[in-house]
Amino acid sequence: MTLKVLAATGYPTADLRSKDWHKFEGAGAPAMDFVFTVCDQAAVEAAPVWPGTPMTAHWGISDPANVTGNDLDRERAFVTVLGQMRRRIAAFIALSDEALQHATVSAKLHAIGTITESASS
């Protein structure tokens, strides 16, 4: 249903697939500045330790796959989630350079807070 809704709104879907988060750890992992979790279940799970110092946020959204009913009800749920994500991404993209610099400083301050005595000696 996700691919159907994305395709209907003009998003390219040919290369989309679920990825295990382990793809984003270890040597050769892509560098990330920001990590957003969206699954409400993720809010109660232990968060993985992402490489580097990305800023993280939980953008909880109810899983549209859990919606019961007919195909139209289910599709409507996926369309609703797409709208929520579009609005959130637009708000994120609209952040000023100053706000993003603050996020970078915040990440660096967090990293400093993880320095241990043995790491600094």
Side-chain angles (χ1 to χ4, degrees), residues 36-107:
F36 303 100
T37 55
V38 295
C39 176
D40 279 343
Q41 184 177 342
V44 296
E45 294 177 352
V49 177
W50 300 105
T53 55
M55 294 295 298
T56 60
H58 180 68
W59 289 359
I61 291 181
S62 296
D63 188 345
N66 293 334
V67 171
T68 58
N70 61 35
D71 286 348
L72 185 58
D73 293 333
R74 293 180 56 245
E75 185 172 347
R76 189 175 299 124
F78 279 80
V79 169
T80 297
V81 166
L82 177 60
Q84 290 172 333
M85 289 303 300
R86 287 173 116 171
R87 286 186 294 279
R88 291 175 185 189
I89 291 167
F92 174 68
I93 290 170
L95 289 173
S96 67
D97 287 343
E98 181 181 339
L100 291 174
Q101 288 172 359
H102 175 74
T104 301
V105 170
S106 179

